[in-house]
Amino acid sequence: MQQPEAGRARVIPIHALPAGERTDPARSTDAAGEVAEVARVMQICNACRYCEGFCAVFPAMTRRLAFGPADAHYLANLCHNCGACLHACQYAPPHEFALNVPQAMARLRRRTYAQYAWPAALGGLYQRNGLTLAVALAAGLALFLALAVALSGQGVAGLWQARPDGDFYAIFPHHLMVSLFAPVFGFALLALGLGVRRFWRDGSAGEATAPPAPVPIPGAAAAEAARDALRLKYLDGGHGEGCHEEDDAATLARRRLHHFTFYGFLLCFAATGVATLYHYLLGWSAPYAWTSLPKLLGISGGLSLMVGTLGLWRLNLRRHPLQQDIAQRPMDRGFIALLFLTASSGLLLMLLRSTPALPLALCLHLGAVMALFATLPYGKFAHGIYRGAALLKFAVERRLPNRLALGDD
């Protein structure tokens, strides 16, 4: 084992939670308090290290003696909230230390999204982005589109009228759809990209490993981070049996439902991408046959997305409060609802494309999609982006020398 530098202390202080805060579920409701709580929890865990093999958080923790705001945000986003450490912890409530790693990390993650939001003035939307807002935004946009159809010259009758061959471009021309959705989606990508860029630059590589200059990202590290993200490796609970939900039983349901949701979303995105190539490169305009590649990708993606979101909604309703940040529930449910509404309305649109209900189904689907795009930078979607960045940072960091040698990588 490497020896510490001369005169450098390696004592990790352990602090109990003040008596007045041990049973207060609303403690540490300000940003500084939430960072301090993560630092306190990590200092105790660093002295214990019983959970070192559970997930990436604990090996990353052992590379640090102090936990400033950048480190706290990094570790909070590295946490996948599986709950295994809470169930294994000998210092969890009602112990006087009152350790709850998943909850402390979840509370700080919400601060991460707001702190790194771009533009900064819109960071407060994370506090207000809930189920009611999500559904109201989708409904409002759908109503706006329906009014646009009614005022286009066909009147209200145009909202209940079949189109030849189910051609929805007869309702909203292709160039109009592009002009509506491209700026919204482009802004969402820009806002998320600038936010995660600041998160990456602010995050430290740890007191023991901080290099004198930015470290290039090795290909092996990028591949490892991508593999861990795509497999949702750290939703296995560290023991392969999964997460803890409403009780002590471990289940792989959360991991599997995330896979349904994530890959369903990717399949739907792929369907849109292939349809775009068909339109611009091959000159093939929608609607496409049921056996075409865009349709097959869209149907399989939509069904997968519906299964995943319904399951995640059920888990969100039933998960034990100690395993989560209750304040995030509205944001979680708003995102789940928009994903479900987007998938279900898309499938409904395909089923009704040859009927007089096509215009209304199209307005509903486009309203849901636009609401989803508009809220991407300021909703739960951001957790995947910041978690991916944290996994990449961990993959890079673990390839650097650990001069503290407090734990194994």
Side-chain angles (χ1 to χ4, degrees):
M1 174 181 281
Q2 293 176 304
Q3 297 300 316
E5 298 173 9
R8 187 175 184 179
R10 295 186 60 181
V11 177
I12 301 173
I14 297 178
H15 304 289
L17 195 65
E21 298 182 5
R22 290 177 197 162
T23 58
D24 181 8
R27 67 176 183 266
S28 304
T29 55
D30 63 295
E34 287 165 358
V35 169
E37 175 63 6
V38 168
R40 183 190 75 88
V41 166
M42 288 291 95
Q43 286 171 344
I44 297 174
C45 291
N46 219 358
C48 173
R49 290 190 284 130
Y50 178 82
C51 300
E52 194 170 338
F54 279 3
C55 71
V57 170
F58 299 100
M61 171 196 72
T62 63
R63 290 175 170 264
R64 293 156 172 79
L65 289 176
F67 301 92
D71 292 302
H73 282 285
Y74 160 52
L75 294 174
N77 284 275
L78 199 54
C79 170
H80 285 53
N81 201 23
C82 73
C85 56
L86 176 63
H87 284 258
C89 183
Q90 60 186 320
Y91 302 121
H95 190 279
E96 63 177 335
F97 289 168
L99 254 65
N100 189 331
V101 176
Q103 192 171 79
M105 297 297 193
R107 287 173 172 168
L108 187 58
R109 274 195 300 275
R110 183 164 51 97
R111 296 288 179 183
T112 301
Y113 312 149
Q115 177 173 322
Y116 291 100
W118 183 90
L122 298 181
L125 291 177
Y126 282 107
Q127 313 297 327
R128 296 184 287 273
N129 189 351
L131 176 60
T132 303
L133 175 62
V135 174
L137 180 60
L141 290 170
L143 179 60
F144 170 78
L145 293 171
L147 289 174
V149 173
L151 296 174
S152 64
Q154 301 180 31
V156 177
L159 291 171
W160 191 262
Q161 187 178 83
R163 298 301 194 273
D165 299 322
D167 184 11
F168 46 77
Y169 288 150
I171 304 171
F172 292 109
H174 181 269
H175 67 275
L176 178 60
M177 288 193 189
V178 173
S179 65
L180 287 173
F181 286 91
V184 178
F185 186 61
F187 175 79
L189 292 180
L190 177 65
L192 286 169
L194 292 177
V196 79
R197 180 169 172 263
R198 287 180 53 218
F199 171 78
W200 180 269
R201 289 184 169 183
D202 286 356
S204 82
E207 177 180 334
T209 58
V215 175
I217 300 174
E224 177 188 317
R227 184 171 60 252
D228 290 347
L230 293 174
R231 292 170 52 224
L232 292 175
K233 174 182 176 180
Y234 297 112
L235 280 181
D236 69 354
H239 40 55
E241 297 178 2
C243 304
H244 300 274
E245 300 298 335
E246 67 265 28
D247 52 35
D248 290 337
T251 171
L252 288 168
R254 178 171 295 274
R255 186 182 189 184
R256 290 166 179 163
L257 292 169
H258 270 84
H259 276 140
F260 272 111
T261 303
F262 176 68
Y263 288 107
F265 183 86
L266 286 186
L267 286 170
C268 291
F269 192 80
T272 303
V274 171
T276 301
L277 294 177
Y278 277 13
H279 184 90
Y280 287 106
L281 293 184
L282 302 177
W284 299 347
S285 296
Y288 303 109
W290 287 97
T291 55
S292 65
L293 185 56
K295 274 289 193 293
L296 295 176
L297 290 172
I299 292 172
S300 56
L303 291 174
S304 178
L305 199 50
M306 287 181 65
V307 170
T309 50
L310 284 173
L312 289 175
W313 181 275
R314 178 180 177 275
L315 290 183
N316 187 275
L317 292 175
R318 300 182 63 176
R319 198 168 205 205
H320 196 284
L322 286 177
Q323 298 279 14
Q324 58 185 305
D325 174 18
I326 300 299
Q328 279 195 53
R329 277 182 172 176
M331 181 173 66
D332 294 347
R333 293 172 185 176
F335 181 54
I336 293 172
L338 280 180
L339 285 175
F340 176 81
L341 187 57
T342 299
S344 59
S345 63
L347 293 173
L348 183 66
L349 176 61
M350 284 192 284
L351 293 173
L352 298 178
R353 74 178 193 181
S354 299
T355 72
L358 172 63
L360 288 176
L362 180 62
C363 292
L364 175 62
H365 180 60
L366 294 181
V369 173
M370 186 172 286
L372 178 64
F373 283 2
T375 57
L376 282 185
Y378 311 108
K380 191 57 184 283
F381 182 84
H383 86 288
I385 306 299
Y386 287 100
R387 185 163 288 159
L391 284 170
L392 181 57
K393 183 176 289 293
F394 174 69
V396 172
E397 179 179 271
R398 67 194 298 264
R399 286 166 168 77
L400 301 174
N402 183 359
R403 294 193 298 273
L404 284 182
L406 290 176
D408 297 328
D409 288 336

